């Protein structure tokens, strides 16, 4: 089993480092905290704490809950009108109606030029990180690692996600 876990706390603003990668077999921090982007549909302003989450295609919102990492691939995106490529990591949502459309929506972990050491821009819903960090961390998570995206600001998710409320 893959022992790596990527945890993102969207209860923090985008200028505050809010991502961590852990090796759960060794109970060790691999990296973090580091900046992570949230979806542009999750907050009206460019900067701040995301306050709206969705599993709906076209919402450009981040989705909360537990994901299982699948394979890496060459991610291609656009930032500031310029094309870029990075490493991407497919994510399979395991929190039912909160994130089970992640693969269909193209919600993936990836590197992005709009995430810097001091702040994270906004994505189309992806928990994006700095390019150099993505190249180092995403292969560790691939093929069975766990991604958990958390927010204390979505009461419905907190009370209904099957992984948050497991007995």
């Amino acid at each position: 089993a893959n022992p790596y876990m990527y945890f993102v706390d969207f209860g923090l603003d985008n200028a505050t480092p809010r991502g961590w990668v852990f090796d759960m077999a060794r109970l060790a921090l691999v990296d973090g905290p580091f900046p992570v982007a949230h979806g542009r549909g999750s907050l009206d302003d460019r900067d701040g704490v995301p306050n709206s989450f969705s599993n709906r295609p076209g919402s450009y919102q981040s989705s909360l809950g537990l994901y299982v990492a699948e394979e890496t691939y060459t991610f291609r995106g656009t930032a500031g009108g310029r094309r870029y490529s990075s490493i991407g990591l497919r994510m399979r949502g395991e929190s039912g109606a909160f994130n089970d459309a992640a693969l269909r929506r193209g919600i993936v972990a990836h590197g992005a030029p709009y995430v810097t050491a001091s702040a994270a821009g906004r994505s189309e819903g992806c928990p994006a990180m700095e390019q150099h960090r993505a190249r180092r961390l995403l292969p560790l998570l691939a093929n069975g690692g766990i991604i958990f995206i958390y927010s204390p600001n979505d009461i419905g998710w907190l009370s209904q996600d099957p992984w948050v409320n497991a007995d």
Side-chain angles (χ1 to χ4, degrees):
N2 185 325
Y4 293 97
M5 180 178 89
Y6 175 25
F7 177 82
V8 178
D9 183 350
F10 280 151
L12 300 170
D13 68 76
N14 64 320
T16 302
R18 55 189 179 179
W20 294 263
V21 172
F22 299 96
D23 178 335
M24 301 305 289
R26 295 182 323 150
L27 299 179
L29 177 64
V30 175
D31 195 3
F34 52 83
V36 178
H38 61 261
R40 67 177 187 252
S42 289
L43 182 66
D44 290 337
D45 297 324
R46 184 188 183 283
D47 296 320
V49 177
N51 56 22
S52 183
F53 303 93
S54 176
N55 193 31
R56 191 172 32 82
S59 68
Y60 300 122
Q61 293 179 348
S62 295
S63 299
L64 301 174
L66 180 75
Y67 300 80
V68 174
E70 294 194 342
E71 75 280 359
T72 58
Y73 68 102
T74 301
F75 177 87
R76 299 192 192 288
T78 305
R82 294 191 165 169
R83 295 186 157 292
Y84 70 93
S85 68
S86 185
I87 185 171
L89 176 68
R90 295 193 205 302
M91 300 168 30
R92 185 179 72 240
E94 296 290 339
S95 287
F98 295 102
N99 68 10
D100 63 3
L103 288 171
R104 189 170 76 248
R105 290 180 63 202
I107 302 300
V108 298
H110 65 85
Y114 52 80
V115 182
T116 66
S118 59
R122 294 184 299 167
S123 67
E124 294 186 353
C126 300
M129 60 181 70
E130 294 166 274
Q131 300 259 40
H132 70 91
R133 188 167 264 121
R135 284 190 295 273
R136 186 167 40 84
L137 298 177
L138 298 184
L140 297 176
L141 288 155
N143 305 308
I146 296 297
I147 298 142
F148 195 81
I149 301 178
Y150 166 83
S151 174
N153 302 321
D154 188 317
I155 302 307
W157 171 75
L158 278 173
S159 66
Q160 297 171 32
D161 184 288
W163 299 99
V164 174
N165 296 288
D167 289 331

